[in-house]
Every structure is written in C-alpha cells, then in structure tokens.
Amino acid sequence: MESVTTALTTSFTGVATAITGIIGDVLPIALPVVGAMIVVTVGIKIFKKVVSR
C-alpha cells in the first residue's frame, strides 16, 4: 500500500508541476488578449449608449 501512495504522490506532483509550467507560459500571452477583448466590449457598450441618446 505504501508503494501505491508513493506512486500517486509522485504522479500528482508531476502533473501539478506540468500544469504550473503551462500556466506560466500561457498567462503572459492570454492576459493582454483577454484584457483587449474586455476593453473592446466595454467600449462598444459605451458607444451604443452614447449613439442611442
């Protein structure tokens, strides 16, 4: 039973390390893209409010 526990712990630690690395690689690219999308969406809503008056 100890070997199963050790194997699972090692596996989950490896998966967590891989996911952390992926997030660290993707976040600097995704953050500006998502921010730009939010700015455009809010800008369109404000523009529609101003034009409809």
Side-chain angles (χ1 to χ4, degrees):
M1 190 65 169
E2 184 70 29
S3 62
V4 173
T5 304
T6 304
L8 285 173
T9 303
T10 304
S11 297
F12 284 131
T13 303
V15 169
T17 303
I19 291 174
T20 303
I22 292 170
I23 290 172
D25 292 341
V26 171
L27 193 63
I29 298 167
L31 198 57
V33 171
V34 172
M37 288 172 46
I38 291 171
V39 167
V40 168
T41 304
V42 170
I44 290 172
K45 286 181 182 179
I46 292 172
F47 179 76
K48 284 182 179 180
K49 284 183 181 179
V50 169
V51 170
S52 67
R53 289 184 182 186

mmCIF file of all heavy atoms in Angstrom:
data_model
loop_
_atom_site.group_PDB
_atom_site.id
_atom_site.type_symbol
_atom_site.label_atom_id
_atom_site.label_comp_id
_atom_site.label_asym_id
_atom_site.label_seq_id
_atom_site.Cartn_x
_atom_site.Cartn_y
_atom_site.Cartn_z
ATOM 1 N N MET A 1 0.836 -1.196 0.000
ATOM 2 C CA MET A 1 0.000 0.000 0.000
ATOM 3 C C MET A 1 0.877 1.255 0.000
ATOM 4 O O MET A 1 0.495 2.255 -0.578
ATOM 5 C CB MET A 1 -0.912 -0.037 1.229
ATOM 6 C CG MET A 1 -1.970 0.998 1.213
ATOM 7 S SD MET A 1 -3.100 0.677 -0.152
ATOM 8 C CE MET A 1 -4.388 1.764 0.207
ATOM 9 N N GLU A 2 2.006 1.170 0.646
ATOM 10 C CA GLU A 2 2.923 2.320 0.696
ATOM 11 C C GLU A 2 3.432 2.679 -0.697
ATOM 12 O O GLU A 2 3.590 3.863 -1.020
ATOM 13 C CB GLU A 2 4.100 1.998 1.626
ATOM 14 C CG GLU A 2 5.066 3.150 1.822
ATOM 15 C CD GLU A 2 4.470 4.292 2.632
ATOM 16 O OE1 GLU A 2 3.583 4.024 3.474
ATOM 17 O OE2 GLU A 2 4.869 5.442 2.414
ATOM 18 N N SER A 3 3.671 1.668 -1.529
ATOM 19 C CA SER A 3 4.177 1.941 -2.872
ATOM 20 C C SER A 3 3.116 2.622 -3.732
ATOM 21 O O SER A 3 3.435 3.470 -4.561
ATOM 22 C CB SER A 3 4.643 0.650 -3.536
ATOM 23 O OG SER A 3 3.549 -0.250 -3.677
ATOM 24 N N VAL A 4 1.860 2.286 -3.528
ATOM 25 C CA VAL A 4 0.769 2.931 -4.273
ATOM 26 C C VAL A 4 0.658 4.393 -3.860
ATOM 27 O O VAL A 4 0.519 5.286 -4.702
ATOM 28 C CB VAL A 4 -0.566 2.190 -4.032
ATOM 29 C CG1 VAL A 4 -1.722 2.941 -4.657
ATOM 30 C CG2 VAL A 4 -0.497 0.777 -4.550
ATOM 31 N N THR A 5 0.757 4.643 -2.576
ATOM 32 C CA THR A 5 0.703 6.011 -2.079
ATOM 33 C C THR A 5 1.856 6.838 -2.634
ATOM 34 O O THR A 5 1.664 7.979 -3.078
ATOM 35 C CB THR A 5 0.758 6.025 -0.538
ATOM 36 O OG1 THR A 5 -0.314 5.220 -0.034
ATOM 37 C CG2 THR A 5 0.631 7.425 0.010
ATOM 38 N N THR A 6 3.042 6.272 -2.637
ATOM 39 C CA THR A 6 4.214 6.967 -3.172
ATOM 40 C C THR A 6 4.065 7.226 -4.664
ATOM 41 O O THR A 6 4.367 8.322 -5.152
ATOM 42 C CB THR A 6 5.488 6.144 -2.913
ATOM 43 O OG1 THR A 6 5.594 5.884 -1.511
ATOM 44 C CG2 THR A 6 6.709 6.880 -3.387
ATOM 45 N N ALA A 7 3.566 6.255 -5.398
ATOM 46 C CA ALA A 7 3.374 6.415 -6.839
ATOM 47 C C ALA A 7 2.344 7.500 -7.137
ATOM 48 O O ALA A 7 2.551 8.335 -8.031
ATOM 49 C CB ALA A 7 2.949 5.098 -7.452
ATOM 50 N N LEU A 8 1.246 7.501 -6.405
ATOM 51 C CA LEU A 8 0.223 8.528 -6.622
ATOM 52 C C LEU A 8 0.736 9.920 -6.270
ATOM 53 O O LEU A 8 0.476 10.884 -6.986
ATOM 54 C CB LEU A 8 -1.030 8.201 -5.806
ATOM 55 C CG LEU A 8 -1.894 7.068 -6.346
ATOM 56 C CD1 LEU A 8 -3.008 6.746 -5.357
ATOM 57 C CD2 LEU A 8 -2.473 7.423 -7.696
ATOM 58 N N THR A 9 1.452 10.018 -5.169
ATOM 59 C CA THR A 9 2.005 11.303 -4.765
ATOM 60 C C THR A 9 2.971 11.833 -5.813
ATOM 61 O O THR A 9 2.925 13.015 -6.190
ATOM 62 C CB THR A 9 2.720 11.181 -3.405
ATOM 63 O OG1 THR A 9 1.792 10.682 -2.444
ATOM 64 C CG2 THR A 9 3.262 12.513 -2.945
ATOM 65 N N THR A 10 3.828 10.965 -6.308
ATOM 66 C CA THR A 10 4.787 11.361 -7.340
ATOM 67 C C THR A 10 4.065 11.783 -8.621
ATOM 68 O O THR A 10 4.417 12.790 -9.243
ATOM 69 C CB THR A 10 5.749 10.204 -7.639
ATOM 70 O OG1 THR A 10 6.379 9.806 -6.420
ATOM 71 C CG2 THR A 10 6.798 10.613 -8.641
ATOM 72 N N SER A 11 3.044 11.053 -9.004
ATOM 73 C CA SER A 11 2.287 11.369 -10.217
ATOM 74 C C SER A 11 1.581 12.708 -10.097
ATOM 75 O O SER A 11 1.653 13.543 -11.003
ATOM 76 C CB SER A 11 1.265 10.281 -10.509
ATOM 77 O OG SER A 11 1.907 9.066 -10.758
ATOM 78 N N PHE A 12 0.899 12.910 -8.982
ATOM 79 C CA PHE A 12 0.175 14.168 -8.811
ATOM 80 C C PHE A 12 1.125 15.355 -8.715
ATOM 81 O O PHE A 12 0.828 16.444 -9.201
ATOM 82 C CB PHE A 12 -0.733 14.103 -7.582
ATOM 83 C CG PHE A 12 -1.983 13.296 -7.812
ATOM 84 C CD1 PHE A 12 -2.359 12.322 -6.914
ATOM 85 C CD2 PHE A 12 -2.775 13.514 -8.927
ATOM 86 C CE1 PHE A 12 -3.510 11.571 -7.118
ATOM 87 C CE2 PHE A 12 -3.928 12.773 -9.141
ATOM 88 C CZ PHE A 12 -4.296 11.800 -8.233
ATOM 89 N N THR A 13 2.275 15.164 -8.105
ATOM 90 C CA THR A 13 3.266 16.232 -8.042
ATOM 91 C C THR A 13 3.767 16.570 -9.441
ATOM 92 O O THR A 13 3.926 17.754 -9.783
ATOM 93 C CB THR A 13 4.449 15.812 -7.141
ATOM 94 O OG1 THR A 13 3.947 15.481 -5.846
ATOM 95 C CG2 THR A 13 5.463 16.928 -7.010
ATOM 96 N N GLY A 14 3.995 15.568 -10.251
ATOM 97 C CA GLY A 14 4.423 15.801 -11.630
ATOM 98 C C GLY A 14 3.378 16.526 -12.453
ATOM 99 O O GLY A 14 3.692 17.441 -13.220
ATOM 100 N N VAL A 15 2.121 16.134 -12.285
ATOM 101 C CA VAL A 15 1.032 16.796 -13.008
ATOM 102 C C VAL A 15 0.912 18.256 -12.561
ATOM 103 O O VAL A 15 0.748 19.156 -13.392
ATOM 104 C CB VAL A 15 -0.296 16.035 -12.799
ATOM 105 C CG1 VAL A 15 -1.475 16.838 -13.315
ATOM 106 C CG2 VAL A 15 -0.239 14.683 -13.470
ATOM 107 N N ALA A 16 0.982 18.489 -11.271
ATOM 108 C CA ALA A 16 0.886 19.856 -10.762
ATOM 109 C C ALA A 16 2.030 20.717 -11.284
ATOM 110 O O ALA A 16 1.829 21.882 -11.653
ATOM 111 C CB ALA A 16 0.882 19.855 -9.237
ATOM 112 N N THR A 17 3.220 20.171 -11.344
ATOM 113 C CA THR A 17 4.372 20.913 -11.869
ATOM 114 C C THR A 17 4.176 21.235 -13.350
ATOM 115 O O THR A 17 4.457 22.352 -13.790
ATOM 116 C CB THR A 17 5.656 20.098 -11.672
ATOM 117 O OG1 THR A 17 5.806 19.801 -10.271
ATOM 118 C CG2 THR A 17 6.867 20.855 -12.161
ATOM 119 N N ALA A 18 3.667 20.267 -14.108
ATOM 120 C CA ALA A 18 3.431 20.494 -15.538
ATOM 121 C C ALA A 18 2.370 21.565 -15.759
ATOM 122 O O ALA A 18 2.532 22.446 -16.615
ATOM 123 C CB ALA A 18 3.018 19.188 -16.206
ATOM 124 N N ILE A 19 1.288 21.498 -14.997
ATOM 125 C CA ILE A 19 0.219 22.492 -15.151
ATOM 126 C C ILE A 19 0.712 23.876 -14.773
ATOM 127 O O ILE A 19 0.395 24.862 -15.443
ATOM 128 C CB ILE A 19 -1.010 22.079 -14.315
ATOM 129 C CG1 ILE A 19 -1.660 20.845 -14.931
ATOM 130 C CG2 ILE A 19 -2.018 23.221 -14.207
ATOM 131 C CD1 ILE A 19 -2.783 20.259 -14.109
ATOM 132 N N THR A 20 1.492 23.975 -13.711
ATOM 133 C CA THR A 20 2.055 25.260 -13.312
ATOM 134 C C THR A 20 2.941 25.821 -14.411
ATOM 135 O O THR A 20 2.909 27.026 -14.698
ATOM 136 C CB THR A 20 2.849 25.112 -12.002
ATOM 137 O OG1 THR A 20 1.998 24.569 -10.998
ATOM 138 C CG2 THR A 20 3.394 26.447 -11.537
ATOM 139 N N GLY A 21 3.722 24.976 -15.040
ATOM 140 C CA GLY A 21 4.580 25.427 -16.139
ATOM 141 C C GLY A 21 3.783 25.902 -17.333
ATOM 142 O O GLY A 21 4.107 26.922 -17.956
ATOM 143 N N ILE A 22 2.716 25.193 -17.656
ATOM 144 C CA ILE A 22 1.867 25.589 -18.782
ATOM 145 C C ILE A 22 1.201 26.930 -18.505
ATOM 146 O O ILE A 22 1.164 27.809 -19.367
ATOM 147 C CB ILE A 22 0.819 24.499 -19.069
ATOM 148 C CG1 ILE A 22 1.503 23.242 -19.611
ATOM 149 C CG2 ILE A 22 -0.241 24.998 -20.034
ATOM 150 C CD1 ILE A 22 0.600 22.036 -19.688
ATOM 151 N N ILE A 23 0.673 27.088 -17.299
ATOM 152 C CA ILE A 23 0.040 28.359 -16.934
ATOM 153 C C ILE A 23 1.056 29.490 -17.004
ATOM 154 O O ILE A 23 0.757 30.587 -17.488
ATOM 155 C CB ILE A 23 -0.603 28.265 -15.538
ATOM 156 C CG1 ILE A 23 -1.815 27.345 -15.591
ATOM 157 C CG2 ILE A 23 -1.015 29.640 -15.024
ATOM 158 C CD1 ILE A 23 -2.420 27.027 -14.246
ATOM 159 N N GLY A 24 2.256 29.245 -16.541
ATOM 160 C CA GLY A 24 3.299 30.266 -16.595
ATOM 161 C C GLY A 24 3.675 30.651 -18.015
ATOM 162 O O GLY A 24 4.060 31.796 -18.277
ATOM 163 N N ASP A 25 3.558 29.708 -18.942
ATOM 164 C CA ASP A 25 3.872 30.005 -20.340
ATOM 165 C C ASP A 25 2.723 30.713 -21.057
ATOM 166 O O ASP A 25 2.950 31.582 -21.897
ATOM 167 C CB ASP A 25 4.206 28.714 -21.095
ATOM 168 C CG ASP A 25 5.509 28.096 -20.631
ATOM 169 O OD1 ASP A 25 6.325 28.818 -20.018
ATOM 170 O OD2 ASP A 25 5.709 26.886 -20.871
ATOM 171 N N VAL A 26 1.490 30.344 -20.739
ATOM 172 C CA VAL A 26 0.326 30.861 -21.460
ATOM 173 C C VAL A 26 -0.150 32.204 -20.907
ATOM 174 O O VAL A 26 -0.622 33.053 -21.663
ATOM 175 C CB VAL A 26 -0.817 29.820 -21.419
ATOM 176 C CG1 VAL A 26 -2.104 30.380 -21.961
ATOM 177 C CG2 VAL A 26 -0.402 28.583 -22.189
ATOM 178 N N LEU A 27 -0.030 32.417 -19.619
ATOM 179 C CA LEU A 27 -0.581 33.612 -18.986
ATOM 180 C C LEU A 27 -0.063 34.921 -19.579
ATOM 181 O O LEU A 27 -0.873 35.823 -19.835
ATOM 182 C CB LEU A 27 -0.345 33.563 -17.478
ATOM 183 C CG LEU A 27 -1.116 34.580 -16.649
ATOM 184 C CD1 LEU A 27 -2.618 34.338 -16.789
ATOM 185 C CD2 LEU A 27 -0.718 34.488 -15.192
ATOM 186 N N PRO A 28 1.232 35.082 -19.836
ATOM 187 C CA PRO A 28 1.682 36.360 -20.407
ATOM 188 C C PRO A 28 1.107 36.636 -21.796
ATOM 189 O O PRO A 28 1.027 37.788 -22.209
ATOM 190 C CB PRO A 28 3.200 36.203 -20.497
ATOM 191 C CG PRO A 28 3.547 35.140 -19.531
ATOM 192 C CD PRO A 28 2.355 34.227 -19.485
ATOM 193 N N ILE A 29 0.694 35.616 -22.506
ATOM 194 C CA ILE A 29 0.098 35.807 -23.828
ATOM 195 C C ILE A 29 -1.408 36.031 -23.707
ATOM 196 O O ILE A 29 -1.975 36.908 -24.361
ATOM 197 C CB ILE A 29 0.379 34.583 -24.723
ATOM 198 C CG1 ILE A 29 1.883 34.421 -24.911
ATOM 199 C CG2 ILE A 29 -0.333 34.694 -26.052
ATOM 200 C CD1 ILE A 29 2.295 33.097 -25.501
ATOM 201 N N ALA A 30 -2.062 35.254 -22.868
ATOM 202 C CA ALA A 30 -3.517 35.302 -22.766
ATOM 203 C C ALA A 30 -4.025 36.547 -22.051
ATOM 204 O O ALA A 30 -5.094 37.060 -22.397
ATOM 205 C CB ALA A 30 -4.023 34.060 -22.045
ATOM 206 N N LEU A 31 -3.294 37.039 -21.076
ATOM 207 C CA LEU A 31 -3.768 38.168 -20.287
ATOM 208 C C LEU A 31 -3.989 39.427 -21.130
ATOM 209 O O LEU A 31 -5.061 40.037 -21.037
ATOM 210 C CB LEU A 31 -2.804 38.427 -19.133
ATOM 211 C CG LEU A 31 -3.310 39.252 -17.976
ATOM 212 C CD1 LEU A 31 -4.553 38.618 -17.373
ATOM 213 C CD2 LEU A 31 -2.245 39.380 -16.913
ATOM 214 N N PRO A 32 -3.046 39.843 -21.974
ATOM 215 C CA PRO A 32 -3.318 41.028 -22.806
ATOM 216 C C PRO A 32 -4.449 40.809 -23.818
ATOM 217 O O PRO A 32 -5.214 41.732 -24.099
ATOM 218 C CB PRO A 32 -2.008 41.278 -23.547
ATOM 219 C CG PRO A 32 -0.974 40.552 -22.790
ATOM 220 C CD PRO A 32 -1.667 39.419 -22.107
ATOM 221 N N VAL A 33 -4.570 39.595 -24.347
ATOM 222 C CA VAL A 33 -5.642 39.310 -25.306
ATOM 223 C C VAL A 33 -7.000 39.435 -24.627
ATOM 224 O O VAL A 33 -7.916 40.074 -25.150
ATOM 225 C CB VAL A 33 -5.451 37.909 -25.932
ATOM 226 C CG1 VAL A 33 -6.651 37.518 -26.759
ATOM 227 C CG2 VAL A 33 -4.185 37.862 -26.758
ATOM 228 N N VAL A 34 -7.151 38.837 -23.465
ATOM 229 C CA VAL A 34 -8.419 38.910 -22.736
ATOM 230 C C VAL A 34 -8.694 40.352 -22.313
ATOM 231 O O VAL A 34 -9.826 40.828 -22.397
ATOM 232 C CB VAL A 34 -8.399 37.962 -21.517
ATOM 233 C CG1 VAL A 34 -9.624 38.166 -20.643
ATOM 234 C CG2 VAL A 34 -8.303 36.525 -21.970
ATOM 235 N N GLY A 35 -7.676 41.058 -21.876
ATOM 236 C CA GLY A 35 -7.849 42.466 -21.499
ATOM 237 C C GLY A 35 -8.315 43.309 -22.669
ATOM 238 O O GLY A 35 -9.200 44.162 -22.518
ATOM 239 N N ALA A 36 -7.735 43.091 -23.841
ATOM 240 C CA ALA A 36 -8.145 43.840 -25.029
ATOM 241 C C ALA A 36 -9.589 43.515 -25.393
ATOM 242 O O ALA A 36 -10.345 44.419 -25.786
ATOM 243 C CB ALA A 36 -7.212 43.513 -26.194
ATOM 244 N N MET A 37 -9.979 42.266 -25.268
ATOM 245 C CA MET A 37 -11.366 41.893 -25.575
ATOM 246 C C MET A 37 -12.343 42.582 -24.626
ATOM 247 O O MET A 37 -13.396 43.051 -25.044
ATOM 248 C CB MET A 37 -11.531 40.378 -25.510
ATOM 249 C CG MET A 37 -10.867 39.647 -26.656
ATOM 250 S SD MET A 37 -10.835 37.850 -26.514
ATOM 251 C CE MET A 37 -12.486 37.449 -26.027
ATOM 252 N N ILE A 38 -11.976 42.667 -23.354
ATOM 253 C CA ILE A 38 -12.842 43.333 -22.378
ATOM 254 C C ILE A 38 -12.946 44.818 -22.695
ATOM 255 O O ILE A 38 -14.033 45.404 -22.649
ATOM 256 C CB ILE A 38 -12.316 43.098 -20.948
ATOM 257 C CG1 ILE A 38 -12.513 41.634 -20.570
ATOM 258 C CG2 ILE A 38 -13.019 44.008 -19.946
ATOM 259 C CD1 ILE A 38 -11.848 41.234 -19.267
ATOM 260 N N VAL A 39 -11.828 45.450 -23.034
ATOM 261 C CA VAL A 39 -11.835 46.875 -23.364
ATOM 262 C C VAL A 39 -12.712 47.132 -24.592
ATOM 263 O O VAL A 39 -13.499 48.083 -24.611
ATOM 264 C CB VAL A 39 -10.391 47.386 -23.592
ATOM 265 C CG1 VAL A 39 -10.382 48.751 -24.246
ATOM 266 C CG2 VAL A 39 -9.642 47.421 -22.273
ATOM 267 N N VAL A 40 -12.594 46.304 -25.609
ATOM 268 C CA VAL A 40 -13.406 46.476 -26.821
ATOM 269 C C VAL A 40 -14.883 46.284 -26.496
ATOM 270 O O VAL A 40 -15.732 47.064 -26.947
ATOM 271 C CB VAL A 40 -12.944 45.500 -27.929
ATOM 272 C CG1 VAL A 40 -13.937 45.462 -29.070
ATOM 273 C CG2 VAL A 40 -11.566 45.894 -28.422
ATOM 274 N N THR A 41 -15.218 45.281 -25.706
ATOM 275 C CA THR A 41 -16.613 45.028 -25.349
ATOM 276 C C THR A 41 -17.206 46.202 -24.580
ATOM 277 O O THR A 41 -18.311 46.657 -24.887
ATOM 278 C CB THR A 41 -16.721 43.742 -24.505
ATOM 279 O OG1 THR A 41 -16.142 42.660 -25.234
ATOM 280 C CG2 THR A 41 -18.159 43.424 -24.172
ATOM 281 N N VAL A 42 -16.480 46.701 -23.602
ATOM 282 C CA VAL A 42 -16.969 47.836 -22.819
ATOM 283 C C VAL A 42 -17.055 49.075 -23.705
ATOM 284 O O VAL A 42 -18.019 49.847 -23.621
ATOM 285 C CB VAL A 42 -16.055 48.078 -21.595
ATOM 286 C CG1 VAL A 42 -16.394 49.384 -20.904
ATOM 287 C CG2 VAL A 42 -16.165 46.925 -20.624
ATOM 288 N N GLY A 43 -16.079 49.266 -24.584
ATOM 289 C CA GLY A 43 -16.109 50.412 -25.500
ATOM 290 C C GLY A 43 -17.308 50.380 -26.416
ATOM 291 O O GLY A 43 -17.939 51.422 -26.669
ATOM 292 N N ILE A 44 -17.652 49.214 -26.926
ATOM 293 C CA ILE A 44 -18.829 49.093 -27.801
ATOM 294 C C ILE A 44 -20.102 49.412 -27.029
ATOM 295 O O ILE A 44 -20.984 50.113 -27.537
ATOM 296 C CB ILE A 44 -18.888 47.681 -28.425
ATOM 297 C CG1 ILE A 44 -17.765 47.519 -29.452
ATOM 298 C CG2 ILE A 44 -20.246 47.422 -29.064
ATOM 299 C CD1 ILE A 44 -17.607 46.109 -29.981
ATOM 300 N N LYS A 45 -20.208 48.938 -25.801
ATOM 301 C CA LYS A 45 -21.396 49.220 -24.995
ATOM 302 C C LYS A 45 -21.527 50.722 -24.722
ATOM 303 O O LYS A 45 -22.624 51.285 -24.824
ATOM 304 C CB LYS A 45 -21.340 48.448 -23.674
ATOM 305 C CG LYS A 45 -21.609 46.975 -23.828
ATOM 306 C CD LYS A 45 -21.563 46.258 -22.493
ATOM 307 C CE LYS A 45 -21.779 44.770 -22.669
ATOM 308 N NZ LYS A 45 -21.719 44.057 -21.393
ATOM 309 N N ILE A 46 -20.428 51.361 -24.383
ATOM 310 C CA ILE A 46 -20.461 52.806 -24.135
ATOM 311 C C ILE A 46 -20.820 53.547 -25.408
ATOM 312 O O ILE A 46 -21.621 54.490 -25.392
ATOM 313 C CB ILE A 46 -19.105 53.278 -23.559
ATOM 314 C CG1 ILE A 46 -18.914 52.712 -22.148
ATOM 315 C CG2 ILE A 46 -19.015 54.794 -23.549
ATOM 316 C CD1 ILE A 46 -17.539 52.957 -21.567
ATOM 317 N N PHE A 47 -20.247 53.142 -26.533
ATOM 318 C CA PHE A 47 -20.546 53.781 -27.809
ATOM 319 C C PHE A 47 -22.027 53.649 -28.151
ATOM 320 O O PHE A 47 -22.663 54.618 -28.594
ATOM 321 C CB PHE A 47 -19.682 53.169 -28.912
ATOM 322 C CG PHE A 47 -19.934 53.752 -30.270
ATOM 323 C CD1 PHE A 47 -19.446 54.995 -30.601
ATOM 324 C CD2 PHE A 47 -20.666 53.052 -31.219
ATOM 325 C CE1 PHE A 47 -19.682 55.547 -31.837
ATOM 326 C CE2 PHE A 47 -20.898 53.576 -32.466
ATOM 327 C CZ PHE A 47 -20.406 54.836 -32.787
ATOM 328 N N LYS A 48 -22.614 52.483 -27.939
ATOM 329 C CA LYS A 48 -24.034 52.282 -28.218
ATOM 330 C C LYS A 48 -24.900 53.164 -27.332
ATOM 331 O O LYS A 48 -25.919 53.691 -27.781
ATOM 332 C CB LYS A 48 -24.411 50.818 -28.027
ATOM 333 C CG LYS A 48 -23.951 49.920 -29.143
ATOM 334 C CD LYS A 48 -24.395 48.483 -28.939
ATOM 335 C CE LYS A 48 -23.957 47.584 -30.057
ATOM 336 N NZ LYS A 48 -24.394 46.197 -29.860
ATOM 337 N N LYS A 49 -24.506 53.348 -26.066
ATOM 338 C CA LYS A 49 -25.273 54.198 -25.164
ATOM 339 C C LYS A 49 -25.213 55.652 -25.623
ATOM 340 O O LYS A 49 -26.204 56.365 -25.572
ATOM 341 C CB LYS A 49 -24.752 54.085 -23.732
ATOM 342 C CG LYS A 49 -25.168 52.821 -23.039
ATOM 343 C CD LYS A 49 -24.671 52.816 -21.604
ATOM 344 C CE LYS A 49 -25.062 51.531 -20.904
ATOM 345 N NZ LYS A 49 -24.576 51.496 -19.512
ATOM 346 N N VAL A 50 -24.043 56.098 -26.044
ATOM 347 C CA VAL A 50 -23.881 57.490 -26.471
ATOM 348 C C VAL A 50 -24.649 57.732 -27.768
ATOM 349 O O VAL A 50 -25.299 58.777 -27.925
ATOM 350 C CB VAL A 50 -22.378 57.823 -26.644
ATOM 351 C CG1 VAL A 50 -22.178 59.157 -27.330
ATOM 352 C CG2 VAL A 50 -21.688 57.803 -25.290
ATOM 353 N N VAL A 51 -24.589 56.804 -28.707
ATOM 354 C CA VAL A 51 -25.240 56.986 -30.007
ATOM 355 C C VAL A 51 -26.765 56.944 -29.867
ATOM 356 O O VAL A 51 -27.483 57.656 -30.576
ATOM 357 C CB VAL A 51 -24.754 55.913 -31.000
ATOM 358 C CG1 VAL A 51 -25.573 55.901 -32.263
ATOM 359 C CG2 VAL A 51 -23.301 56.148 -31.323
ATOM 360 N N SER A 52 -27.293 56.135 -28.954
ATOM 361 C CA SER A 52 -28.739 55.974 -28.832
ATOM 362 C C SER A 52 -29.415 57.176 -28.189
ATOM 363 O O SER A 52 -30.629 57.297 -28.234
ATOM 364 C CB SER A 52 -29.075 54.715 -28.037
ATOM 365 O OG SER A 52 -28.673 54.857 -26.698
ATOM 366 N N ARG A 53 -28.683 58.067 -27.611
ATOM 367 C CA ARG A 53 -29.291 59.235 -26.950
ATOM 368 C C ARG A 53 -29.748 60.268 -27.922
ATOM 369 O O ARG A 53 -29.405 60.492 -28.966
ATOM 370 C CB ARG A 53 -28.309 59.876 -25.982
ATOM 371 C CG ARG A 53 -28.093 59.020 -24.771
ATOM 372 C CD ARG A 53 -27.213 59.680 -23.780
ATOM 373 N NE ARG A 53 -27.024 58.768 -22.649
ATOM 374 C CZ ARG A 53 -26.395 59.097 -21.572
ATOM 375 N NH1 ARG A 53 -25.872 60.290 -21.433
ATOM 376 N NH2 ARG A 53 -26.267 58.238 -20.602
#
